[in-house]
Amino acid sequence: MTTLKKDTNKKQNVILQKIWKAIKPLIPSIIIVALIVVAAVYVINTKAPTEEKEPIPPYAYEGGEEPVVVDNGQLKLTMDPKTTAFSIEVKDSGKVWYSNPQGAAEDAAALEDQKSFLQSPLIMSYSITQGLETTYNSFGYSAQNGIYEIIPGENEVRVNYSLGSVEKEFTIPPVITKTRFEEFMGKLDKKEVDLIKQYYKKYDINKLTPKDNKDELIANYPIIETEVIYVLRSATKENVRKTIQDKFAAAGYTYDDYLADKELDLSTSSSDTPIFNVSVVYKLEGKDLVVEVPFADLDFDKETPIYTITPLPYFGAGGPDEKGFMVVPEGGGALINFNNGKTSQSSYYTNVYGWDMCLSRDAVVHNTRAYYGVYGVSEGNDSFVCILENGKNYASIQADIAGKNRSYNFVNAKYSICQREQYDVGDIANSDIYEYVTDLPDETLSQRYTFVNSGDYVDMAKTYGAYLQKEYAGYLDLVSDTSTPVAIEMVGAIDKVKQIVGVPVSRPLKLTSYNEASQIIDELSASGLTNMHVKMSGWCNGGVNQKVLSKAKTISALGSKKDLQNLVNKAEQGGNKVYLNGVTQYAYDSNLIDGFFSYRDAAKLISKERAELYNYSNVTYGQRENADNSYFLLHTDLAKKYTDNLVKAAQKYNAGASFQDLGMDLSSDFYRKKTYSREQVLSAQVQQLESYNNNGTPLMINMGNDYAVPFCQIVTNMDLRGSEYTIIDECIPFFQLAVHGRVDYTGRAINTCGNMENEVLYSAEYGAGLCFELMKESSFATQKTLYTEYYGAYFDAIKDNITEIYTRYNNELGHTFNQEMVGHKNLTSDVSCTEYADGTKVYVNYGYSDYTEGGVKVPARDYTVTR
């Protein structure tokens, strides 16, 4: 029996061991499944905490009716406490400017809502997920509701606005006991009593109807347990409440009675109408008015983010009988005359620094851009210049004339606050869906109004120039040029598809080798050209369609590194400068082999998708979405690194650095780990440019955004004329009046711009140097490529024209480039006159007939210089 028992135990142990061996590998899986089950049960049985929205507390005006006055000795600000509109008196001229038109409330051309806008020192819009935008004005949604604060300070006034629809307070009982109600009613006639009783409901705790909720009534009106009460019906309209208020007042009802009755009402009423808090600070600094809007003081619900803010939308607005003009930053500058009668034309609008490439868009009909954030107004012998300072990169400048839906001419800056991106959710929703950036950086919008005792736009421009010289002290001194600056863009290599073993492969195609570029410079020098700034494009990393600058690698088809060094040295010996051009903000035709991984290195949109960009069709205006057409905006940190790499490469050859995009394009970056606002990117770019300048590296940029110009030796492709919109009356060199003689600049390449004659005339009027785009290969080399824009760049074909244009231009204008531009006037719609510090005058005639002025004859389609 003992032996049998042992055998049985042995068999059981063997079975248990086998079971254990079978189960042991499954234990980790069993544990994981158990954990998942426990987690699932927990999630199912646990309610997520609901985030309770804290209501935005509105401000309340508790001041008097005496005007608020701030006086710094040069300016006097007087604010109406009932509307927050104000006037600014310029002490030395006696001119008074108004934040809002004086006759706005009686404007016969404006509807009631438009009158509210005209009386508002602040306009704000908010948006929702579906993209619907709603606009509030401070007069109708803040001042009339009494939900604002005015806080005077030393040389400043702060106005805290709450904007929204709030219920007006009337001195009538929201709840009143039967005894007191009948006491007051006893003092009125029967007709009046019957009217009032229509809008009050009687409650008796002992005689409730089935529809009455006893517990809710007790909670809202505790006195109902001991008294019969009357409760004002919630649907009672404002005009009726006003009538009831008058009746109760006649019966002796006071504000103290109202406060006592209000304590009987414990009910809470909530409104779905959003409330917003916005603070505006007005500072007097010398002869300047500085307006600030701190982001830190913006208060809004994330479901209704603030979309735009327009401070002082009608400051200095001109009336229907006034004479004056508005200055807008179109090209070098433009004028829109008051009451010009062009009421059928669209209003003026432009984006400061152009489009933010990190904001997606489906179509582009026309790109609007201004390379400086300034506008102004002139009335008679006085004017002001409004210079956008902090946050100007969020701004768009808009202007319109009287005679549309108002009787006033105005210009202002409108700021984008919470940026947004549209989602395509057509499969699950009938409307568009937008996502907003609601976590704002700690920044402040600021714009400076500088008052000028002159109505001449030249004096306005010189005021702006003085501001730039003070802001960038040490960087905008007069240049030492004694001849015309000439920008020569040498096109090195382009990419062309070739068949290699039957496989189409993109390879660099030489248009101008390093040695050929040197030969061209020699030939131009022999023809008399001096002061040449040679931009070497397509010199590295595959050519003009350059791959990312993880490192700068010369192109063997263009020659050796020694050839490139010889090009730089030889140009230097001849008194010229070579700049190595590069793309630092974008990734074209780049992959892992080139050191670029788009999921890691591209900037991110608001949706956190890669900032993949496309060219747009000139026919459909939509994106050309194909693999060969797309490129990427680089993550900001990487763009800064590639910018450093380009400068280091240029320093290696003792050349200058030319940026294809830096100083022209400005984009934010919503990269998840490290987000950059557009303002932060601007600051980073300024720091880099300033550092390169201080280290002695000559810099060249395109277009010339105002924050980049002070650190550069020359700006190419500056938009001199802009888009000549119909609403514009005159084109003027406003920006050029501010900076001429302190930085060299050119317009577009004369030989490839499409209208050589016009570009030379623009350059003569705007005080620009000359620019040419050149290549050694003939134009036939660009056939079957995507670079037909270089068709007119063939050097051998254009050489004589270059010499002819330059020789005359330099002989007549070469001495002016180290001088300030001190005057400009449009003599007719086709003829202008530009004047320099030494008295030189340049007459330009765009017309097709000769013009004579004071004995000076200006041939058709030509320019004449007098000294």
Side-chain angles (χ1 to χ4, degrees):
M1 288 291 293
T2 303
T3 303
L4 182 59
K5 189 174 183 180
K6 286 182 179 179
D7 290 342
T8 301
N9 291 337
K10 188 175 182 182
K11 287 179 181 180
Q12 289 176 345
N13 289 337
V14 170
I15 292 170
L16 290 173
Q17 287 175 359
K18 287 181 178 181
I19 293 173
W20 173 248
K21 286 181 180 180
I23 293 175
K24 187 176 180 181
L26 300 176
I27 288 178
S29 299
I30 294 170
I31 293 173
I32 292 172
V33 170
L35 290 174
I36 291 173
V37 170
V38 170
V41 171
Y42 176 80
V43 169
I44 292 170
N45 289 281
T46 303
K47 289 185 178 180
T50 56
E51 185 179 343
E52 291 188 9
K53 295 181 184 177
E54 291 188 9
I56 294 173
Y59 299 107
Y61 182 63
E62 298 177 353
E65 296 187 2
E66 289 297 316
V68 177
V69 179
V70 178
D71 191 332
N72 71 344
Q74 297 185 62
L75 297 175
K76 179 182 178 182
L77 184 151
T78 305
M79 179 175 287
D80 181 352
K82 294 180 296 215
T83 65
T84 71
F86 62 89
S87 64
I88 288 282
E89 180 187 352
V90 183
K91 293 291 192 73
D92 59 2
S93 69
K95 172 67 175 177
V96 178
W97 296 93
Y98 296 96
S99 64
N100 300 87
Q102 291 300 282
E106 292 79 36
D107 186 359
L111 298 174
E112 286 304 314
D113 63 334
Q114 196 57 236
K115 291 178 183 178
S116 290
F117 280 98
L118 288 170
Q119 297 176 80
S120 298
L122 177 73
I123 293 176
M124 181 219 81
S125 75
Y126 72 91
S127 193
I128 59 175
T129 305
Q130 288 75 26
L132 180 66
E133 188 177 351
T134 303
T135 304
Y136 281 174
N137 61 78
S138 61
F139 179 77
Y141 288 88
S142 183
Q144 287 195 320
N145 292 336
I147 49 174
Y148 62 95
E149 287 180 343
I150 299 177
I151 306 175
E154 185 177 357
N155 293 330
E156 71 176 44
V157 177
R158 180 187 183 95
V159 182
N160 297 324
Y161 291 103
S162 293
L163 296 100
S165 295
V166 295
E167 188 176 290
K168 289 185 179 179
E169 192 173 59
F170 293 90
T171 310
I172 57 177
V175 180
I176 187 170
T177 63
K178 178 184 175 184
T179 304
R180 295 186 66 244
F181 183 78
E182 291 177 348
E183 178 186 339
F184 287 110
M185 293 303 99
K187 299 176 183 179
L188 301 175
D189 60 39
K190 184 177 184 303
K191 188 176 180 181
E192 291 173 321
V193 172
D194 291 341
L195 171 67
I196 293 174
K197 283 188 173 181
Q198 291 180 44
Y199 298 98
Y200 277 88
K201 185 173 181 180
K202 181 180 177 182
Y203 287 104
D204 185 336
I205 194 72
N206 299 313
K207 297 179 182 179
L208 297 178
T209 68
K211 292 183 179 180
D212 295 328
N213 187 324
K214 182 178 179 179
D215 293 336
E216 184 178 338
L217 287 170
I218 293 174
N220 291 338
Y221 319 111
I223 197 171
I224 198 175
E225 292 188 280
T226 58
E227 298 270 3
V228 176
I229 61 173
Y230 282 86
V231 177
L232 181 68
R233 297 181 187 274
S234 59
T236 306
K237 294 182 178 180
E238 286 188 4
N239 62 326
V240 177
R241 290 175 189 244
K242 177 68 171 64
T243 301
I244 295 174
Q245 177 179 260
D246 294 340
K247 303 300 182 187
F248 265 101
Y253 191 81
T254 66
Y255 190 71
D256 289 335
D257 291 324
Y258 165 71
L259 293 178
D261 289 333
K262 194 176 179 182
E263 291 182 2
L264 304 180
D265 183 8
L266 301 186
S267 64
T268 57
S269 59
S270 61
S271 172
D272 293 332
T273 305
I275 297 287
F276 305 87
N277 285 345
V278 180
S279 296
V280 183
V281 184
Y282 302 104
K283 296 182 177 180
L284 303 185
E285 295 184 2
K287 203 176 176 181
D288 296 350
L289 167 67
V290 180
V291 181
E292 295 181 346
V293 180
F295 279 5
D297 295 329
L298 299 181
D299 202 358
F300 56 89
D301 191 310
K302 291 190 176 183
E303 291 185 5
T304 54
I306 295 177
Y307 189 48
T308 64
I309 286 178
T310 308
L312 298 184
Y314 298 102
F315 188 89
D321 301 319
E322 292 180 285
K323 291 184 178 180
F325 58 80
M326 299 169 284
V327 177
V328 294
E330 185 59 35
L335 305 183
I336 301 175
N337 293 326
F338 286 178
N339 312 303
N340 64 16
K342 301 176 182 179
T343 54
S344 62
Q345 301 302 320
S346 299
S347 59
Y348 177 79
Y349 181 92
T350 190
N351 292 304
V352 177
Y353 308 140
W355 186 258
D356 184 340
M357 292 298 182
C358 222
L359 301 176
S360 60
R361 51 182 176 172
D362 295 328
V364 175
V365 177
H366 175 65
N367 263 320
T368 64
R369 68 165 298 128
Y371 49 89
Y372 56 103
V374 177
Y375 64 85
V377 171
S378 171
E379 291 182 5
N381 296 322
D382 296 277
S383 61
F384 70 80
V385 177
C386 182
I387 303 169
L388 309 188
E389 296 186 314
N390 299 327
K392 57 188 172 182
N393 47 81
Y394 304 126
S396 55
I397 293 174
Q398 53 190 5
D400 209 352
I401 58 170
K404 294 183 179 180
N405 54 3
R406 68 189 74 80
S407 300
Y408 297 92
N409 310 268
F410 70 91
V411 58
N412 60 47
K414 181 179 183 179
Y415 296 87
S416 294
I417 306 301
C418 295
Q419 306 284 7
R420 70 183 184 184
E421 183 176 348
Q422 181 180 347
Y423 284 82
D424 183 6
V425 290
D427 294 337
I428 60 173
N430 294 325
S431 60
D432 295 330
I433 298 296
Y434 290 82
E435 182 178 353
Y436 295 82
V437 177
T438 54
D439 294 326
L440 299 178
D442 187 12
E443 297 171 1
T444 298
L445 305 179
S446 65
Q447 52 191 48
R448 178 179 298 270
Y449 294 80
T450 300
F451 300 99
V452 186
N453 297 347
S454 166
D456 190 344
Y457 61 77
V458 172
D459 293 325
M460 297 169 71
K462 302 309 284 185
T463 299
Y464 174 50
Y467 169 84
L468 291 176
Q469 292 162 40
K470 181 180 178 181
E471 190 75 7
Y472 299 99
Y475 292 101
L476 281 175
D477 299 327
L478 287 171
V479 298
S480 57
D481 291 350
T482 55
S483 62
T484 301
V486 184
I488 304 291
E489 180 173 355
M490 298 287 187
V491 186
I494 59 174
D495 56 287
K496 186 174 183 179
V497 175
K498 298 180 179 179
Q499 297 289 332
I500 299 179
V501 197
V503 179
V505 179
S506 180
R507 287 286 183 266
L509 174 67
K510 176 187 78 69
L511 296 184
T512 312
S513 70
Y514 305 136
N515 287 334
E516 289 170 342
S518 185
Q519 292 167 12
I520 291 174
I521 294 173
D522 289 343
E523 290 189 50
L524 292 175
S525 296
S527 299
L529 273 73
T530 59
N531 195 14
M532 284 186 281
H533 300 262
V534 182
K535 179 195 294 187
M536 194 67 204
S537 295
W539 68 277
C540 72
N541 292 22
V544 171
N545 196 38
Q546 172 210 294
K547 299 180 186 297
V548 293
L549 279 167
S550 51
K551 59 180 179 179
K553 185 179 180 181
T554 56
I555 299 171
S556 58
L558 302 183
S560 64
K561 293 180 181 178
K562 185 177 180 181
D563 293 333
L564 178 57
Q565 186 67 69
N566 289 337
L567 163 64
V568 175
N569 293 343
K570 201 168 183 182
E572 194 82 31
Q573 292 166 8
N576 305 303
K577 191 68 184 179
V578 173
Y579 298 78
L580 301 183
N581 189 61
V583 177
T584 61
Q585 308 297 303
Y586 303 100
Y588 295 99
D589 193 25
S590 302
N591 52 38
L592 278 171
I593 297 174
D594 307 307
F596 175 73
F597 181 48
S598 64
Y599 291 94
R600 176 195 63 197
D601 300 331
K604 298 298 188 293
L605 306 177
I606 295 173
S607 63
K608 307 309 176 187
E609 294 179 358
R610 297 169 299 163
E612 186 172 10
L613 310 175
Y614 299 88
N615 293 318
Y616 292 84
S617 168
N618 294 325
V619 178
T620 66
Y621 307 120
Q623 293 179 348
R624 293 174 174 170
E625 295 188 12
N626 60 67
D628 297 331
N629 184 53
S630 71
Y631 58 103
F632 293 92
L633 177 68
L634 290 171
H635 175 43
T636 302
D637 287 345
L638 197 61
K640 289 193 286 187
K641 177 182 176 183
Y642 289 169
T643 302
D644 287 339
N645 288 351
L646 176 62
V647 172
K648 289 175 183 176
Q651 291 171 339
K652 177 182 176 182
Y653 293 98
N654 195 32
S658 169
F659 302 109
Q660 185 69 22
D661 39 30
L662 183 69
M664 177 175 69
D665 293 344
L666 182 66
S667 301
S668 49
D669 183 1
F670 301 101
Y671 205 83
R672 192 181 301 276
K673 294 182 180 178
K674 198 168 186 181
T675 296
Y676 286 88
S677 70
R678 211 179 186 202
E679 180 77 10
Q680 291 167 337
V681 174
L682 185 153
S683 298
Q685 290 187 3
V686 167
Q687 289 176 8
Q688 282 189 291
L689 292 169
E690 185 176 11
S691 173
Y692 302 148
N693 181 289
N694 293 344
N695 290 336
T697 303
L699 303 177
M700 174 188 287
I701 60 172
N702 279 316
M703 186 62 73
N705 289 347
D706 56 3
Y707 60 84
V709 165
F711 310 109
C712 301
Q713 276 59 52
I714 186 167
V715 179
T716 59
N717 293 300
M718 183 175 280
D719 187 3
L720 302 177
R721 198 78 172 183
S723 299
E724 297 181 35
Y725 301 114
T726 308
I727 197 172
I728 287 173
D729 293 295
E730 297 182 39
C731 294
I732 61 170
F734 186 90
F735 187 76
Q736 289 71 27
L737 280 160
V739 302
H740 189 277
R742 300 181 183 278
V743 65
D744 291 334
Y745 55 87
T746 75
R748 296 183 297 166
I750 291 170
N751 57 311
T752 58
C753 69
N755 193 325
M756 185 182 298
E757 192 175 51
N758 263 6
E759 197 63 35
V760 172
L761 295 179
Y762 292 156
S763 299
E765 180 185 1
Y766 285 75
L770 302 176
C771 181
F772 300 96
E773 207 163 33
L774 304 176
M775 64 183 184
K776 187 61 178 175
E777 294 291 334
S778 75
S779 303
F780 294 106
T782 62
Q783 290 184 344
K784 297 182 180 180
T785 72
L786 299 176
Y787 300 92
T788 53
E789 68 265 28
Y790 297 134
Y791 188 81
Y794 180 32
F795 175 67
D796 290 345
I798 198 71
K799 175 185 174 183
D800 292 341
N801 275 352
I802 293 174
T803 303
E804 180 184 349
I805 292 169
Y806 172 81
T807 301
R808 181 193 170 194
Y809 198 89
N810 187 59
N811 287 342
E812 298 187 32
L813 287 169
H815 66 286
T816 64
F817 288 95
N818 57 9
Q819 302 179 42
E820 286 193 356
M821 187 185 292
V822 297
H824 179 272
K825 187 175 182 180
N826 285 313
L827 304 176
T828 72
S829 59
D830 292 325
V831 182
S832 67
C833 177
T834 304
E835 186 175 356
Y836 292 93
D838 68 347
T840 299
K841 292 184 177 180
V842 183
Y843 295 87
V844 178
N845 185 357
Y846 295 97
Y848 290 87
S849 58
D850 296 348
Y851 176 84
T852 302
E853 168 76 15
V856 178
K857 182 180 179 180
V858 190
R861 307 289 294 165
D862 203 352
Y863 63 91
T864 298
V865 180
T866 64
R867 300 180 67 177

